[in-house]
Amino acid sequence: MTTSTLINRRIVLASRPVGAPSPDDFRFEDGPVSEPSDGELLLQILYLSLDPYMRGRMSDARSYAKPVAIGDVMEGGTVARVIRSRHPGYREGDIVLSHSGWQSFALSDGTGLRKLDAQAAPVSTALGVLGMPGFTAYAGLLTIGQPKPGETVVVAAASGAVGSVVGQIARIKGARAVGIAGGADKCAFVRDELGFDAVADHRAADFAAQLAAACPEGIDIYFENVGGHVWDAVFPLLNDFARIPVCGLIAQYNAGPDAYPGPDRLPSMMRGVLSRSLLIRGFIQREFVDQRPAFYREAAEWIASGRLRYKEDFVDGLDRAPEAFIGLLEGRNFGKLVVRVAPE
Amino acid sequence: MTTSTLINRRIVLASRPVGAPSPDDFRFEDGPVSEPSDGELLLQILYLSLDPYMRGRMSDARSYAKPVAIGDVMEGGTVARVIRSRHPGYREGDIVLSHSGWQSFALSDGTGLRKLDAQAAPVSTALGVLGMPGFTAYAGLLTIGQPKPGETVVVAAASGAVGSVVGQIARIKGARAVGIAGGADKCAFVRDELGFDAVADHRAADFAAQLAAACPEGIDIYFENVGGHVWDAVFPLLNDFARIPVCGLIAQYNAGPDAYPGPDRLPSMMRGVLSRSLLIRGFIQREFVDQRPAFYREAAEWIASGRLRYKEDFVDGLDRAPEAFIGLLEGRNFGKLVVRVAPE
């Protein structure tokens, strides 16, 4: 395989969506693959992670990260194979975690790469349970949530990449884990495969009653990764001194500016914050970067001992990334969503 | 003065207000004053504190404290003189801080009393700058807000019992203090007498622009003690990692259940929490009770050195307490509101 025969397919942001993204907001571009210069390496992308935060990068609303520019490659975490190296730290065949985005090849100068050991764990897990989503769960739950034995921890999207880890770590720490998921299959998985103590189906008409029944002693930690109507069922159940780490609001990412006519729930929310001494804290996992070594070590142990389970939802082919991402925002994935870009 | 000649005037809760309290929600009752039994003492109330939290006690909505029952004496902090003592720890003439409520006399078994030294500071300050409001400012700002030198701290009701202390302690800690107050007189007092760095008038048509101009580097701490429309001006200015201790929401205490038709501001607020890693934390000062000795010591030093100033707004006569309290909820007081119940 010589570089000159390779074609790099890139998926670029064609337009900023208003409301739900559509396939037209993405554009496919094919181009040449460059030879690495001295100090560079050429990566072939094997796996692309699809995550809810990417919806934020498609928008130019104020956020913690710059938006993707129109015409630029969509941002994203990737697992890649080194296929050419002129960098002393990497050899051809090395597998690395990179942030190469929605494309099939990428040049790198080595910045931000992390070598992966394919013997230790499937390398795709570096995008999920052993990667950014798993670490988001770990850092947010332990640092902000601070679960104590016997407390009740509630998390939504409980079959997903973050929620599944939140609940299982809560249990490891001696807390009760209550999951919220959409539909019978996901609920059964959360309860029976992941071992949550209880589960509530947010698509059910009696969702709020299910959640209340699942939390007879109220909620001490609500790990907020969805927003939307789940909040209305959670809020009345929050105990005094409850903690609410906020890492995502997927249910409202697609909402337009007029999506919330009323009533205005902010005053009653602030009233609850005051009368119940609630803590609400937004966070991005990179704030807690110094905890990553502990996370990698502990999570690997928990996986090895069977205490931390995970589910990956693979989609085959880069071309299907837009459709899969649109589905992710609608909750159509089941487990950590990963695009297989090339065979491992 | 024998006990048998004394009349205890009590102001009891006659009805739970819907919206703003009216004089009819209070009832005056005169009754005998009992002799203290063994181990008890009889207090004559000198000063009654009026504070916004009392509006919560008039309601039976869920809160951190039980409501006052219909027919019970309105709750409140008081400074009192011991006029009979059958308690070994107190002598006649002692001045104490008590929580005797809206009445002229009270029996006590000594629980929760604190002796005051009239030589050290005017005893009325035990209800304000050296009491619960001052400690609320101290604990919330230092423990939750954690101001750092050069940061911008914004507080509303800045001429009031809590806000005035928040801003001055912020300055003592090297932060910039920006006050929000209602009207030219209060704004001038906050800037010129209390020494805040800047001030914004929430009654002015250009309030949001005033606040933005006063915070050219954004807001790092917003000490929330009012709620209402002030939030809308503050929210866009909050910096990444801003902290928001929430100790009161006076602007919404009188609101009925249908006061907030929309639009719904909760989604954009949660979006801000996420995208700017905000911390919002409700609190009640008694959570930080272990910090009280440090507060008493430091606040007394700051007052002695002129770094911590205060303003009391005295109302003469217990009978005027309902009217003064109703005015407090409308911002008509100027400084810490205290009722002189009996001459010192």
Side-chain angles (χ1 to χ4, degrees):
Chain A
M1 189 160 65
T2 65
T3 306
S4 59
T5 67
L6 298 176
I7 300 291
N8 185 27
R9 170 150 287 196
R10 302 149 35 100
I11 304 183
V12 305
L13 181 63
S15 52
R16 302 203 183 281
V18 177
S22 83
D24 293 343
D25 294 319
F26 305 91
R27 188 173 63 236
F28 294 78
E29 292 182 351
D30 290 340
V33 171
S34 305
E35 279 290 341
S37 306
D38 195 37
E40 289 188 332
L41 39 87
L42 178 62
L43 300 172
Q44 178 173 30
I45 312 305
L46 306 178
Y47 298 105
L48 165 66
S49 183
L50 294 179
D51 301 280
Y53 77 84
M54 294 166 172
R55 178 63 184 83
R57 302 294 194 281
M58 300 178 78
S59 160
D60 54 8
R62 176 176 174 178
S63 185
Y64 51 85
K66 277 192 294 191
V68 173
I70 299 291
D72 273 6
V73 174
M74 281 290 296
E75 185 180 330
T78 45
V79 167
R81 179 188 292 115
V82 177
I83 59 171
R84 298 274 189 286
S85 179
R86 297 185 61 189
H87 186 295
Y90 296 90
R91 292 186 306 188
E92 289 178 24
D94 281 349
I95 307 288
V96 297
L97 176 70
S98 65
H99 201 82
S100 303
W102 298 28
Q103 57 186 342
S104 44
F105 295 93
L107 286 174
S108 167
D109 65 2
T111 304
L113 298 188
R114 183 163 69 87
K115 277 193 209 178
L116 299 175
D117 176 1
Q119 307 304 314
V123 293
S124 59
T125 58
L127 302 175
V129 65
L130 286 172
M132 182 275 288
F135 182 60
T136 297
Y138 177 94
L141 179 66
L142 299 183
T143 306
I144 300 170
Q146 301 187 18
K148 290 181 261 303
E151 288 193 327
T152 296
V153 176
V154 171
V155 64
S159 68
V162 175
S164 61
V165 178
V166 167
Q168 292 178 90
I169 296 181
R171 282 183 55 78
I172 288 169
K173 298 297 178 183
R176 279 188 79 238
V178 175
I180 297 169
D185 286 354
K186 289 182 180 177
C187 285
F189 170 76
V190 167
R191 189 180 52 236
D192 302 336
E193 300 295 320
L194 300 182
F196 280 46
D197 296 278
V199 68
D201 184 347
H202 72 81
R203 293 192 188 147
D206 66 341
F207 163 57
Q210 283 188 22
L211 186 64
C215 304
E217 298 180 57
I219 298 173
D220 300 295
I221 298 173
Y222 173 55
F223 193 103
E224 173 64 288
N225 59 354
V226 298
H229 81 291
V230 167
W231 175 262
D232 295 323
V234 165
F235 184 65
L237 302 175
L238 292 169
N239 290 331
D240 289 357
F241 300 102
R243 289 82 70 194
I244 302 147
V246 180
C247 83
L249 298 164
I250 189 171
Q252 64 186 65
Y253 289 166
N254 283 341
D258 303 321
Y260 305 105
D264 183 8
R265 294 174 298 163
L266 182 58
S268 74
M269 191 271 231
M270 290 300 280
R271 175 94 198 184
V273 164
L274 173 59
S275 64
R276 289 181 260 163
S277 296
L278 305 180
L279 167 75
I280 300 175
R281 172 66 149 80
F283 75 102
I284 313 301
Q285 45 85 28
R286 63 169 178 253
E287 175 186 348
F288 304 108
V289 62
D290 58 332
Q291 297 176 32
R292 275 196 200 141
F295 161 71
Y296 290 134
R297 187 181 64 246
E298 291 201 283
E301 288 171 10
W302 292 332
I303 290 173
S305 64
R307 302 175 82 188
L308 180 57
R309 295 170 164 226
Y310 61 95
K311 180 177 178 66
E312 297 173 310
D313 185 346
F314 287 105
V315 169
D316 283 306
L318 181 63
D319 290 4
R320 292 183 57 204
E323 157 204 341
F325 178 67
I326 291 167
L328 172 71
L329 295 175
E330 296 166 356
R332 282 197 262 124
N333 60 305
F334 189 174
K336 172 67 190 104
L337 186 59
V338 177
V339 178
R340 274 198 195 98
V341 180
E344 202 174 311
Chain B
M1 190 161 66
T2 66
T3 306
S4 60
T5 66
L6 299 175
I7 300 292
N8 185 28
R9 169 150 286 197
R10 302 150 35 103
I11 304 181
V12 305
L13 182 64
S15 52
R16 301 203 183 282
V18 177
S22 81
D24 292 344
D25 294 320
F26 304 92
R27 189 173 62 236
F28 293 78
E29 293 182 351
D30 291 338
V33 172
S34 306
E35 278 291 340
S37 307
D38 196 39
E40 287 186 335
L41 39 87
L42 177 63
L43 300 173
Q44 178 174 27
I45 312 306
L46 305 179
Y47 297 104
L48 164 66
S49 182
L50 294 180
D51 301 281
Y53 77 84
M54 294 167 171
R55 178 63 183 82
R57 301 294 195 281
M58 300 179 77
S59 160
D60 53 8
R62 176 176 174 181
S63 186
Y64 50 86
K66 277 193 294 192
V68 174
I70 298 290
D72 273 5
V73 174
M74 281 289 295
E75 186 181 330
T78 44
V79 168
R81 178 187 292 115
V82 177
I83 58 171
R84 299 273 190 286
S85 178
R86 297 185 62 189
H87 186 296
Y90 296 89
R91 292 186 304 185
E92 289 177 25
D94 282 350
I95 307 289
V96 298
L97 177 70
S98 65
H99 200 81
S100 303
W102 298 27
Q103 57 186 339
S104 44
F105 296 93
L107 286 174
S108 166
D109 65 1
T111 304
L113 298 189
R114 183 163 70 86
K115 277 193 210 177
L116 300 175
D117 177 1
Q119 306 305 313
V123 293
S124 58
T125 58
L127 302 173
V129 66
L130 285 172
M132 182 275 288
F135 183 60
T136 297
Y138 177 94
L141 178 66
L142 299 183
T143 306
I144 301 170
Q146 300 186 18
K148 290 182 262 302
E151 288 193 326
T152 296
V153 176
V154 171
V155 65
S159 66
V162 175
S164 62
V165 178
V166 167
Q168 292 179 90
I169 296 180
R171 282 183 54 79
I172 288 169
K173 298 298 178 182
R176 277 188 81 238
V178 176
I180 297 169
D185 287 353
K186 288 181 180 177
C187 284
F189 171 75
V190 167
R191 188 181 53 235
D192 302 334
E193 300 294 320
L194 300 182
F196 280 47
D197 296 278
V199 68
D201 184 347
H202 71 81
R203 293 194 188 145
D206 66 342
F207 163 57
Q210 282 188 23
L211 186 65
C215 304
E217 298 181 56
I219 298 172
D220 300 296
I221 299 173
Y222 173 56
F223 192 104
E224 173 64 289
N225 59 354
V226 298
H229 80 292
V230 167
W231 176 262
D232 295 323
V234 165
F235 184 64
L237 303 175
L238 292 168
N239 289 330
D240 289 358
F241 299 103
R243 290 82 71 194
I244 301 148
V246 180
C247 84
L249 298 165
I250 189 171
Q252 63 186 64
Y253 289 166
N254 282 340
D258 302 321
Y260 305 106
D264 183 8
R265 293 174 297 163
L266 182 58
S268 74
M269 191 271 232
M270 291 300 280
R271 176 92 198 185
V273 164
L274 173 59
S275 64
R276 289 181 260 163
S277 296
L278 304 181
L279 167 74
I280 299 175
R281 172 68 150 75
F283 75 102
I284 314 300
Q285 45 85 26
R286 63 171 179 253
E287 174 187 346
F288 304 108
V289 62
D290 58 332
Q291 297 177 31
R292 276 198 200 140
F295 161 71
Y296 290 133
R297 188 181 63 245
E298 292 201 282
E301 288 169 10
W302 293 331
I303 289 174
S305 64
R307 302 175 82 186
L308 180 55
R309 296 169 163 226
Y310 61 94
K311 180 178 177 66
E312 297 173 309
D313 185 347
F314 287 105
V315 168
D316 282 305
L318 180 63
D319 290 4
R320 292 182 57 201
E323 158 204 341
F325 178 67
I326 291 167
L328 171 71
L329 295 174
E330 296 166 357
R332 282 197 262 125
N333 60 304
F334 188 174
K336 171 67 188 102
L337 187 58
V338 177
V339 178
R340 275 198 194 99
V341 180
E344 202 174 310

